Structure formats: structure tokens, C-alpha cells
Amino acid sequence: EDEAKEAAPSENPPPDAEKGEAPPAPAKDAAPQPMEPSSARDIQVGAGEEDAEKDAAPPSFCSVYLAKFRGAGVASPPRPLLTQHGFSFLGSFLGLAVLGLLDLFVVKRHIDPSWALLTPPFGAMAVLVFSACKAPLAQPKNVVLGNAVGGAVGYAAWSLMAAVGPAAVTADHLWFTAALAVALTIVVQEQLGVVHPPGGASALVYIIVPPMRAMGAFYPLF
């Protein structure tokens, strides 16, 4: 009987057996896991790339210039529709034609023959206004105020140099006055938030074209 009782399974299993859980294994010191071959290979590749970047020579001036000439990775704007070509042509043609007629029949005949209304800056202005009308530099505020700033700065620069002495506005020193007028125009436009490239041309024209200087303080208004 005693041998039968010892051979029979226990009627009361341990609590862990009732829950279906295995008894905890004895704690052992966790051994370090070996590094996977792929991870080691990635580290080696990364180290090789860093070494290659350090050893690579800096790009030459020509390569940098050619990259910028191609757009430096920026996609070119899409080609405009034919309707946009028509708007650009008609707008620029009619605008400059009206200026030319006003210059001929109003300014030259009734104001002063030495004055000129049709000046080179209007050509650059026509490109911005009629071809890039959505650009920030082509907005009406920039067109009107930016061009007026260029004319005013050109007149002020010439007047300042003339006050220094007659020799300061001779042909030998004209380069300095012209550079000063354009540089000051850019700074003033930036400060006022009315940057407009033809405004720089307006300042330059007043300095280098003598008939423009005949207009005096009225030049910024035109």
C-alpha cells in the first residue's frame, strides 16, 4: 500500500502547475549577446563613408559655378502658356509705347526738351511687371516706391558729391558716385521693404546720363 501511494500522482499539484505557469528558472548571470554580423558590417560601412568624406577634396570653383548655373538642384519654372506670352508682349509693348508718346508730345514739347520720360529702367520694370507679375519684387508698392527711392538716392548722391567740390563729379570720379548711388539705393530699399531692381538702374542712370540730371529734384517723380 505504501508503495502504491508513492507511485500515484499527487492530488494537490503546486500552485504554479494549476495556473499553467512553469516554475521560475534559477537566476543566472546574463552573458553578453554577440553582435550580429549585419550590425558590425553597417558600422564598418559607416566608418568607411566618413573616412571617404574626410579624404575627399573640396569641390572646385568651376564645379560649384556650373552647379549653380544649372540651377543648383532647383527645378526650373514651368514654361508659361501662350496666353501669358500674349499678356507679356501686349503689356510691355503698350506700356513703353505710352511712355514714349508722353515723352515726345508732353515732356519734350510742353515741359523741357532736355528732360526724358522714356528711360532704360522702364525696360527692366516691364520685364518684372508683365513677365513675373506674381514675384514679390514686381508688386505695385515695390514698383512705385522702389523706383522713386532709386531716383531720390541718385539725385542725393550726385548733389552730395557736387557739394564736395566740382572735381568730385568729373568723369574721372564718376565711377565712385555711380557705385555709391546704387549701393545706397539697395540699402534704403531693403530698409523700407520695397526692393525693386529697376530702382538701382534709376539711380545709376541719373549719375551717368547727363540729360537726366537736367531734371534735378523732379527726377524721382518720373
Side-chain angles (χ1 to χ4, degrees):
E1 292 179 0
D2 295 337
E3 294 178 357
K5 289 181 180 180
E6 292 178 0
S10 177
E11 295 179 357
N12 298 321
D16 295 338
E18 291 180 356
K19 298 179 180 179
E21 298 179 357
K28 297 181 179 179
D29 295 336
Q33 298 294 330
M35 184 178 293
E36 297 181 1
S38 59
S39 301
R41 195 163 46 248
D42 293 340
I43 293 178
Q44 293 177 357
V45 171
E49 291 178 353
E50 293 180 358
D51 295 339
E53 291 178 357
K54 293 179 181 179
D55 297 338
S60 63
F61 173 80
C62 294
S63 61
V64 174
Y65 177 79
L66 291 176
K68 291 183 177 181
F69 183 81
R70 292 191 296 266
V74 179
S76 302
R79 181 174 298 178
L81 301 175
L82 292 177
T83 54
Q84 175 64 32
H85 291 314
F87 173 78
S88 300
F89 175 82
L90 290 177
S92 58
F93 177 82
L94 293 177
L96 292 176
V98 169
L99 284 175
L101 292 175
L102 290 175
D103 179 68
L104 177 61
F105 292 104
V106 177
V107 176
K108 292 287 193 298
R109 296 186 180 183
H110 301 286
I111 299 180
D112 193 329
S114 62
W115 289 17
L117 181 60
L118 188 62
T119 57
F122 283 111
M125 187 185 301
V127 175
L128 279 175
V129 172
F130 297 109
S131 181
C133 54
K134 295 182 180 180
L137 305 183
Q139 301 312 303
K141 181 183 73 170
N142 297 67
V143 172
V144 176
L145 297 182
N147 198 58
V149 165
V153 172
Y155 169 75
W158 179 268
S159 301
L160 176 64
M161 297 304 295
V164 172
V169 291
T170 59
D172 293 337
H173 299 88
L174 200 63
W175 61 270
F176 179 82
T177 309
L180 178 66
V182 175
L184 287 176
T185 297
I186 295 174
V187 173
V188 175
Q189 286 181 346
E190 290 176 343
Q191 288 296 316
L192 298 178
V194 292
V195 176
H196 187 60
S202 297
L204 182 62
V205 165
Y206 186 86
I207 302 299
I208 64 176
V209 181
M212 296 293 101
R213 298 196 292 270
M215 302 174 68
F218 291 98
Y219 177 74
L221 302 179
F222 286 84

